[in-house]
Amino acid sequence: MSSPAPRTPRPPSAPLPDFCSLPVLFALLLVGALTVTLMWLAPGNDGDLRDYSIAVLFTSWLSVLLTVALCKLRPWMQRLPSLWPYAAVWLLLVTTVGASAALLGWIDHNLGAGLSPVSHFGFVRDSMVATGLLGAGLLRYFYVVAQWQVRVAAAAQAQVAALQARIRPHFLFNSMNAVAALIRVDPDAAERTVENLAELFRAALGSDLAALSTLGEEWALVDRYLDIEALRLGDRLRVQRDIDVPADLPLPHLLLQPLVENAIRHGIQPLREGGTIRLGGTRVPGGVEIVIDNPLADAPAVPGNGHGLRNVRERVRFHFGERASVRAEASDGRFVVTMFLPEAAHARPDRR
């Protein structure tokens, strides 16, 4: 017996936009109003302001109706393969507008209100043709935006993977040497250091890149990192904390640790007398603000290339949108990194 032919894998589904969001409703309302306005201003049109107002009202009602229908049917259409989700959306647009135009024309002709053109068939036909053309253009725009978001997400995930797969070799070697030195003189401290290292590596090498951590978990990870560095720097490393932010705020993994690592590497380590790192977090209008600052050294031990701070900026922008920000500046002899994270209600509207 011949073995069955291998099944051809189904092509991935093209991602649809979030039709339940206000930007999509606004786009439909805007396109409908602009179309009616252009048709009213076109040469040869003899419609008055009353006809224009009725047409705008009709397109606005259709926009709301289509948004509700697309919002409810999006999960079903998203399960279709390849570009069929967009074909299903286009068919839904055309058929809904055609059925609405036919219903409006039938009601208007029976009541004799004169709200629709005399030619019932022509009104339905023109409405469906206009919707088909405009819908194709609008869906093309949504498709390009969706593909761009997929590429941005892939690039961001690659950067997250690069960051999580990297822990500086000298940090690992110094930590292991500290453990080796502590095993005989302070076994309990050595055990705590190994546990802290294990947690850091679990976060850095974790495979679930899409899962988010929380602000409380990230602060706990920072504390483990500071405990390890305290073995190496001793009294030269001092930490001040003034944190009053919700611990359950979602954050990407390892977002704060690179900033604290930079503060130690470029601010504390080059100074013979050491210094104080300040960790702050406060609620501000529209979100929370996190501040990490360290003393400025005259001559940093090892010049940095800025990859860590740039990576944090890009990850914050990807997860929280353009309203989020990461600022770095020198002020009063200290290097200050200020991170603003908007609340969920003010973050990116296109989160999926």
Side-chain angles (χ1 to χ4, degrees):
M1 294 179 62
S2 59
S3 59
R7 295 180 58 184
T8 303
R10 195 175 84 164
S13 175
L16 291 172
D18 182 10
F19 292 115
C20 301
S21 63
L22 289 178
V24 173
L25 174 60
F26 177 76
L28 292 177
L29 290 171
L30 183 62
V31 170
L34 287 177
T35 303
V36 171
T37 302
L38 292 176
M39 294 177 65
W40 186 62
L41 296 175
N45 179 51
D46 55 355
D48 55 10
L49 186 60
R50 172 179 174 272
D51 296 332
Y52 172 75
S53 301
I54 292 173
V56 170
L57 182 61
F58 177 61
T59 56
S60 300
W61 175 80
L62 275 178
S63 298
V64 175
L65 176 64
L66 289 171
T67 302
V68 173
L70 292 172
C71 177
K72 297 298 182 181
L73 296 177
R74 181 183 182 274
W76 174 81
M77 292 185 292
Q78 189 62 79
R79 291 197 291 266
L80 299 175
S82 189
L83 294 177
W84 280 106
Y86 283 86
V89 171
W90 186 84
L91 288 174
L92 179 64
L93 293 176
V94 174
T95 55
T96 302
V97 170
S100 301
L103 179 62
L104 176 65
W106 178 78
I107 295 175
D108 178 52
H109 283 214
N110 282 279
L111 296 178
L115 300 178
S116 61
V118 177
S119 174
H120 188 192
F121 174 78
F123 175 56
V124 175
R125 179 199 61 203
D126 294 344
S127 298
M128 294 181 68
V129 170
T131 302
L133 295 175
L134 292 173
L138 195 60
L139 288 175
R140 173 62 181 173
Y141 165 76
F142 285 146
Y143 176 75
V144 171
V145 170
Q147 293 299 310
W148 173 77
Q149 290 175 350
V150 169
R151 287 194 292 269
V152 170
Q157 293 291 5
Q159 292 173 351
V160 173
L163 179 64
Q164 289 183 324
R166 178 179 60 84
I167 284 187
R168 298 185 189 280
H170 71 80
F171 165 69
L172 172 61
F173 295 150
N174 289 337
S175 300
M176 296 307 295
N177 288 334
V179 172
L182 287 171
I183 287 177
R184 292 187 177 181
V185 297
D186 194 345
D188 293 337
E191 183 179 356
R192 289 195 305 270
T193 304
V194 172
E195 292 175 352
N196 291 334
L197 272 175
E199 289 298 324
L200 283 172
F201 273 94
R202 182 178 293 110
L205 305 178
S207 58
D208 190 3
L209 303 181
L212 292 178
S213 179
T214 64
L215 184 56
E217 293 171 349
E218 290 300 302
W219 280 130
L221 203 63
V222 167
D223 288 338
R224 291 181 180 274
Y225 174 77
L226 290 173
D227 288 343
I228 295 175
E229 288 289 13
L231 293 175
R232 182 170 63 92
L233 299 173
D235 295 337
R236 294 171 58 201
L237 174 61
R238 298 177 291 277
V239 182
Q240 289 183 358
R241 294 175 175 84
D242 185 12
I243 302 170
D244 183 20
V245 290
D248 57 350
L249 178 71
L251 279 186
H253 283 294
L254 281 182
L255 189 68
L256 302 181
Q257 188 271 341
L259 299 178
V260 177
E261 182 178 353
N262 283 343
I264 293 177
R265 187 183 183 214
H266 301 292
I268 306 300
Q269 185 172 298
L271 298 174
R272 183 184 300 273
E273 69 280 8
T276 301
I277 293 179
R278 297 172 184 166
L279 308 177
T282 57
R283 299 172 184 265
V284 295
V288 300
E289 187 175 79
I290 298 174
V291 179
I292 299 175
D293 72 89
N294 58 269
L296 276 174
D298 296 332
V302 181
N305 50 25
H307 287 326
L309 187 58
R310 188 183 312 118
N311 195 300
V312 169
R313 280 198 179 102
E314 293 174 356
R315 294 173 64 197
V316 166
R317 186 181 301 112
F318 169 72
H319 283 280
F320 295 95
E322 295 299 328
R323 294 192 70 251
S325 63
V326 179
R327 303 191 313 273
E329 57 186 356
S331 176
D332 297 331
R334 299 185 69 85
F335 187 76
V336 183
V337 176
T338 305
M339 181 187 306
F340 170 73
L341 305 177
E343 296 174 351
H346 303 288
R348 294 184 54 166
D350 57 348
R351 294 289 93 220
R352 295 192 296 272

